[in-house]
Amino acid sequence: MRIKITSDSTCDLSKELIEKYDITVVPLTIIKNDEAFSDGVTITPADIFAHVAAGGDLCSTTAKNIGEYADLFEEYSSKYDGVIHINIGAGFSSCYQNA
């Protein structure tokens, strides 16, 4: 049985674990100063920490929408026997509900 693991970018797994287990990381959108960035792609935690340390406002995130999750799961469900998705908790984000 082939299982695909996916996670949103809040997982904070090391690059080594992501590669070892072929985990697909779905980047959340980070909003900084009204500009959108892709978590782990166009902005890093170090960038966010530096921004806040310099007196910048706290950043916020936006969840992937239902359609984006549907596309992701459809892509992998045709290649794997199952897909397990791990995301940030429902009390923090709408990622859980959307997925």
Side-chain angles (χ1 to χ4, degrees), residues 16-75:
E16 293 78 21
L17 282 175
I18 291 168
E19 290 175 359
K20 180 178 181 179
Y21 295 106
D22 189 30
I23 298 169
T24 296
V25 177
V26 180
L28 297 184
T29 299
I30 306 291
I31 307 299
K32 181 181 90 169
N33 293 338
D34 295 324
E35 187 175 351
F37 297 88
S38 185
D39 188 21
V41 179
T42 58
I43 194 168
T44 66
D47 298 328
I48 297 167
F49 298 147
H51 167 74
V52 174
D57 291 335
L58 292 177
C59 298
S60 62
T61 61
T62 60
K64 294 296 182 190
N65 65 47
I66 294 168
E68 291 168 313
Y69 277 119
D71 291 345
L72 175 76
F73 298 149
E74 183 177 339
E75 174 188 349

Side-chain angles (χ1 to χ4, degrees), residues 6-8 26 63-70 72-73 84-88 93-99:
T6 64
S7 177
D8 69 36
V26 180
K64 294 296 182 190
N65 65 47
I66 294 168
E68 291 168 313
Y69 277 119
L72 175 76
F73 298 149
I84 298 172
H85 180 72
I86 303 165
N87 55 253
I88 192 168
S93 172
S94 61
C95 290
Y96 174 81
Q97 292 89 340
N98 291 355

